[in-house]
Amino acid sequence: MRLTILLLAGLQLAATCATSGTAAEPDPKIAALVAAYPDHIAAQEGNELVMKDGTRLPIDDGKGEKPFETLLNEPDIGDQFYVPYKLGNAGFPPGVDEDPGRVRFEPLFRKMYGDCQKGEVEGKLVTVKWLPKNKGGSVQVTSVNGVAKALEAVSAELDELPAKFMRYLKPSAGTYNCRVIAGTKRMSMHSYAASIDINTKVSDYWRWAKAEKDGKYPYKNQIPIEIVEIFEKHGFIWGGKWYHYDTMHFEYRPELIALGRARSGEVGTGSP
């Protein structure tokens, strides 16, 4: 809640500065990133994100506006916010190439979670009981950035849902997996152990669909919004809000959720 209030204030201040002609404060989107990962990110200094160990990562690579595929394959930190993530019932079906959260600056995630190809992730894994009241088994996720604790909170709330929802949630389709995203050279969020897939048998994935004559993919989803809202409450975004939808997929991105809350408070739409 405190982070949401701070971000809302930042958004209002930025708007005031823009209309008054005064110098704008640091971008609220980058402020959200700094606030979301306090164990790893120290501050923003100019065009650099300063990590706690002194590493500096460029925020804007100076390449300007990028085609969608370039955004995915050659993003900078700022590109991660190219389209907002909308909470609750807002944000889907998304527009063409609107994939909030799917653009990831990999050096930042490797810096925080480790490089699985170098064996840097496994030692940080924690076992989380998945839906223990409904005998969902267990999963392993990272302890970094509070991901395991957040997923425990998600599991506890999902466990209290009526029985009709359990078919979507179990069996889990996996958490940690050191792999690239299908059809790409980009690392999956599963390689950082910061995401979970729920039951694939009642999920939809854009690569399983056939494009229409105009080349667009028809949107498909079976996952109830009640499930999505619980994940969002605890910092996870949902792949069902992507044009390239992946409705089984949830990943820990508290900066995008915080910005969504701040935006909702400003304009009065949507809620986590």
Side-chain angles (χ1 to χ4, degrees), residues 73 106 110 117 179-188:
N73 293 312
E106 290 190 10
R110 284 198 303 271
Q117 295 176 324
R179 64 170 176 82
V180 297
I181 300 168
T184 80
K185 296 180 180 179
R186 304 189 305 273
M187 297 304 294
S188 165

Side-chain angles (χ1 to χ4, degrees), residues 13 41 46 54 69-71 87 100 117 131 137 151 153 155 161 194 211 225 233:
L13 179 58
I41 304 176
E69 287 301 319
T70 304
L71 273 176
L87 301 175
Q117 295 176 324
L131 310 173
L151 190 62
S155 176
L161 289 176
I225 191 62
K233 178 180 177 181

Side-chain angles (χ1 to χ4, degrees), residues 97-115:
D97 291 342
E98 290 185 355
D99 293 356
R102 192 163 167 254
V103 173
R104 310 179 188 97
F105 183 67
E106 290 190 10
L108 173 60
F109 290 92
R110 284 198 303 271
K111 193 69 181 173
M112 293 194 294
Y113 294 108
D115 186 337

Side-chain angles (χ1 to χ4, degrees), residues 24 30-31 60 66 107 110 121 130 146 154 159 192 212 227-228 230-231 254 260 262:
I30 303 304
D60 184 349
K66 301 171 184 175
R110 284 198 303 271
V121 176
W130 183 242
V154 168
D159 229 0
Y192 307 115
E212 297 175 333
I227 290 173
V228 175
I230 289 173
F231 272 99

